[in-house]
Amino acid sequence: MELFEELRVRLGTLGMREWSGEIDDFGLDLDALETARPAFDFLLDRWWRAGLLHASRVPEAGPALVVANRSGLLPWDGLMLAHALERLCPAAGRPRFLVADWLMALPFVHPAVVRYGGVRACPENTSRLLRAGARVIAFPEGQRGAAKVFRERYRLRRFGRGGVVRVALRAGVPLLPVGVVGAEEVHPVLFKITGPARSLGLPFLPVTPTFPWLGPFGALPLPSRWVIAFGEPLDLDGLSAEDAEDDLLVSRLTLELRRRIARLVDEGLKARSGVFA
Amino acid sequence: MPTVAITGLRTFVGQRLAERLRGEGEPEGFRVVGLDLRRPHRLEGRVRFQRVDLTDPAVPLRIAEILEKEGVEVVVHCAFRTFPTADVEADHELETIGTLHLLDACAAARIPRLVVASSTQVYGARPDQPAFLEEDHPLRGHPEAHQVRNLVEVEHILDAWQARHPDTAVTVLRRCWTVGPTVDEPITRYFARPVVPVVLGFDPRVQLIHEADCLRAFERAVREPHAGVFNVVGRGAVPLGVLLRRAGRRPLPIPGPLLRRFGELPARVSAGDPPDAFFDYLRYPFVADGSRAAAAFGEPVYTTQEAFASFVGSRRMRRYR
């Protein structure tokens, strides 16, 4: 009977979260975050031994649009970057990371991602968060960045259509380029299977050295060494919200942003002693 | 005394709005003309009832006559089914074609103001919706939910009609799921269960409005001119699991594919539609931004969680009565 009761409670809470306390309008659960903080610390410091380059370049407080290179199917990079940034400048609050659409449709993954500060990537959400004074982490490569196979690692894809720059100009916040090195090796995708993945709602099914061979254990992230390299904020002084309509300027700024992030990624790669060492 | 005409007197909004507008002896009370198929017994003697069948092709003339004779200044349109029936055709006749007929009558009678009760469900529950939908967001609806489909069509018709009749101020109030002690709608019946079926692996942020906040917005939209579209929603959005759990309700997660077999489960909720037509709204978010309505009609008193607590508390009391 006890077993039955236990089973019923377990079933009743499956896939839902034991929520309590503060939850903000975007679904970020502050209590859950507090509970998970030691786990995130462990991941960042021990598991991935992340080194921060030029951390002094990050403004202490105030909203900002942080722009980084995207890698890996699961948003580990967004989560860790948000965590590192929060520890770096606690005054700016917990940054939110933007997540691609298809991830938002995935059962189980979606509630977990939202709980720890993931927000669907779209200009409406980004501007709303920036207006509220939050820091937002964007990955303009989008799904193309996540869908890279291992031999294409650290090669930046096209940067959307300048949406990031437009949003930053309209909100009047600085653009902060960041290069994340190490997240590519977390799930080294050897090749992709597209056929059966469609029916699961995924853009493709990744095949890594461990996944799907080891089942769910194969989905555990590998302990690669991470370097997070921060760049100087992109100079938007003298530009106003109206300049967001200037397509040529936007594309020039987007290119400049992409160039800087590529340089930061190269810098991070050089600074790293070894992939797993 | 100004006169207001209300269609759909037996819907929650229609009936309760009529009661509020009558304002029992208050000087600022309205004269209410009720247009419906059946006589509303609760409002007996308090409204001037006119039996009207909105689906009748000859009805625009008759309504126009009534509106002119009674000197109606504001028309409130809420003749939308509280419980969609399995007869999709008939629902379309009433909701979409009925609106067309009413609009013809309003144009003929040169009605200065029109208030329409819509729903935030017209935005559609999709994984790729922004966290807060603003009024000008495209209405994507749901391909399988026939009432939502009708409402989307109605809103497009209203849009086109407003462009041709700039002298009439059209107010569209999109309300989210409304809960409270006295509402009886599909969603309140759904949430009234002790065990609430939800979709396994999904936990969308949901948004509720308390009936008092909802009715106050409607009342102000009738009393003062506010042309345009407004999201009439409660404050904040809470993940469904939290909402239920905090109120002492037990969510019962059911795997998505199984829900299709549990089709009869929410039968009263989505009559005539496949279960996804309802469960998609418990799977993906459709949370609207209510700041425009808050500026026009006042900040809602209840948050989503408080509205739900009030609803759950009142239902619990009902058992002891």
Side-chain angles (χ1 to χ4, degrees):
Chain A
M1 206 54 210
E2 249 170 55
L3 187 75
F4 176 72
E5 190 61 27
E6 168 78 21
L7 207 69
R8 212 177 52 161
V9 171
R10 279 283 156 81
L11 273 178
T13 54
L14 200 63
M16 308 284 280
R17 296 152 289 173
E18 286 291 352
W19 291 76
S20 55
E22 280 305 299
I23 294 156
D24 90 331
D25 279 349
F26 281 82
L28 172 73
D29 186 339
L30 295 171
D31 277 2
L33 199 65
E34 256 347 284
T35 320
R37 203 173 289 275
F40 292 158
D41 283 337
F42 169 80
L43 278 175
L44 195 62
D45 298 332
R46 303 284 175 77
W47 193 253
W48 286 314
R49 295 144 296 167
L52 305 185
L53 277 186
H54 316 303
S56 57
R57 289 176 176 173
V58 183
E60 276 297 315
L65 189 53
V66 182
V67 186
N69 55 315
R70 178 82 182 86
S71 42
L73 206 54
L74 293 173
W76 288 115
D77 47 356
L79 188 64
M80 286 300 115
L81 189 51
H83 195 62
L85 273 170
E86 192 201 22
R87 289 199 312 194
L88 208 58
C89 5
R94 179 87 184 176
R96 311 307 176 89
F97 55 98
L98 300 182
V99 181
D101 289 355
W102 65 268
L103 212 91
M104 299 309 269
L106 272 189
F108 302 105
V109 177
H110 165 237
V113 165
V114 169
R115 184 183 197 181
Y116 296 119
V119 172
R120 183 183 98 86
C122 64
E124 292 95 330
N125 286 348
T126 318
S127 348
R128 187 176 284 269
L129 282 165
L130 291 172
R131 269 204 311 271
R135 286 198 176 167
V136 182
I137 303 169
F139 301 96
E141 286 174 280
Q143 195 181 315
R144 295 178 300 274
K148 278 181 274 195
V149 296
F150 193 60
R151 69 185 136 74
E152 297 168 321
R153 65 190 182 278
Y154 301 124
R155 260 181 253 159
L156 258 61
R157 296 300 175 90
R158 181 168 60 79
F159 258 29
R161 273 161 265 169
V164 216
V165 174
R166 267 183 242 273
V167 167
L169 282 172
R170 289 204 184 108
V173 299
L175 277 164
L176 194 68
V178 176
V180 179
V181 168
E184 294 271 23
E185 287 92 2
V186 162
H187 296 293
V189 179
L190 299 178
F191 55 93
K192 303 180 272 193
I193 307 174
T194 42
R198 299 273 152 171
S199 56
L200 295 170
L202 294 163
F204 60 88
L205 200 68
V207 177
T208 72
T210 52
F211 187 83
W213 325 118
L214 302 178
F217 296 106
L220 287 177
L222 297 180
S224 55
R225 182 181 281 277
W226 283 31
V227 175
I228 300 176
F230 297 99
E232 292 284 357
L234 199 66
D235 190 17
L236 297 180
D237 285 348
L239 297 175
S240 65
E242 285 92 70
D243 292 311
E245 313 308 323
D246 185 346
D247 292 339
L248 217 63
L249 177 78
V250 167
S251 79
R252 193 169 58 74
L253 285 171
T254 308
L255 269 177
E256 170 64 19
L257 193 63
R258 186 173 179 277
R259 202 172 54 77
R260 286 203 195 180
I261 293 172
R263 221 163 40 203
L264 288 167
V265 169
D266 287 343
E267 212 175 315
L269 281 170
K270 260 186 227 123
R272 186 162 72 157
S273 44
V275 175
F276 291 101
Chain B
M1 203 168 10
T3 307
V4 55
I6 299 179
T7 66
L9 263 189
R10 290 173 329 117
T11 61
F12 159 70
V13 173
Q15 183 189 350
R16 299 293 306 281
L17 188 63
E19 286 171 1
R20 284 176 76 117
L21 288 173
R22 274 286 278 120
E24 294 310 313
E26 287 167 42
E28 70 271 24
F30 275 72
R31 217 160 61 95
V32 178
V33 179
L35 310 172
D36 207 328
L37 255 183
R38 266 183 283 170
R39 197 166 271 282
H41 292 290
R42 267 188 70 171
L43 295 169
E44 197 66 69
R46 292 193 280 172
V47 300
R48 295 173 65 86
F49 176 72
Q50 296 279 358
R51 198 187 162 281
V52 155
D53 178 5
L54 277 177
T55 60
D56 179 2
V59 83
L61 262 178
R62 192 171 129 64
I63 297 180
E65 260 171 40
I66 296 169
L67 295 179
E68 274 180 351
K69 204 176 76 205
E70 302 278 358
V72 171
E73 285 158 34
V74 189
V75 172
V76 182
H77 182 37
C78 25
F80 303 101
R81 289 219 190 280
T82 306
F83 294 89
T85 64
D87 192 343
V88 175
E89 258 322 296
D91 281 4
H92 180 262
E93 283 297 306
L94 171 69
E95 296 178 338
T96 311
I97 307 302
T99 304
L100 276 174
H101 289 157
L102 183 73
L103 286 177
D104 288 349
C106 287
R110 299 179 186 284
I111 293 297
R113 291 203 283 129
L114 173 66
V115 179
V116 182
S118 183
S119 155
T120 55
Q121 281 179 279
V122 293
Y123 294 115
R126 312 273 177 117
D128 58 348
Q129 292 290 35
F132 289 93
L133 293 149
E134 285 174 17
E135 280 84 351
D136 51 5
H137 201 268
L139 307 181
R140 301 198 286 171
H142 192 286
E144 283 169 340
H146 73 272
Q147 185 169 43
V148 176
R149 213 163 49 212
N150 290 346
L151 278 177
V152 171
E153 205 179 341
V154 163
E155 289 227 15
H156 288 317
I157 290 168
L158 279 169
D159 220 27
W161 189 84
Q162 172 78 94
R164 280 184 292 124
H165 299 88
D167 294 339
T168 304
V170 179
T171 310
V172 177
L173 300 183
R174 293 182 190 145
R175 67 180 168 115
C176 64
W177 281 336
T178 312
V179 294
T182 65
V183 206
D184 183 24
E185 289 191 336
I187 198 63
T188 57
R189 289 196 183 179
Y190 192 75
F191 281 144
R193 298 158 191 272
V195 175
V196 182
V198 297
V199 189
L200 178 69
F202 290 93
D203 197 8
R205 293 150 54 253
V206 293
Q207 185 179 39
L208 303 172
I209 188 166
H210 192 270
E211 56 178 58
D213 285 329
C214 172
L215 289 168
R216 201 170 32 118
F218 272 88
E219 194 182 342
R220 294 225 12 210
V222 172
R223 289 189 186 274
E224 311 150 10
H226 291 283
V229 185
F230 299 90
N231 293 326
V232 178
V233 296
R235 276 190 289 136
V238 184
L240 180 61
V242 191
L243 184 81
L244 295 173
R245 227 178 285 278
R246 277 188 189 165
R249 284 286 143 91
R250 185 170 301 179
L252 173 70
I254 298 176
L258 257 182
L259 279 177
R260 291 190 184 91
R261 316 216 165 242
F262 277 91
E264 67 275 15
L265 193 74
R268 282 142 105 197
V269 177
S270 56
D273 301 326
D276 271 350
F278 173 70
F279 279 110
D280 271 355
Y281 285 92
L282 292 182
R283 188 178 283 152
Y284 304 123
F286 65 110
V287 175
D289 176 9
S291 48
R292 193 191 285 181
F297 312 122
E299 196 73 40
V301 176
Y302 292 82
T303 64
T304 292
Q305 187 71 56
E306 288 163 358
F308 194 65
S310 148
F311 161 71
V312 170
S314 67
R315 293 297 145 124
R316 202 173 285 141
M317 290 310 289
R318 187 170 291 186
R319 252 185 280 151
Y320 300 109
R321 240 175 247 159

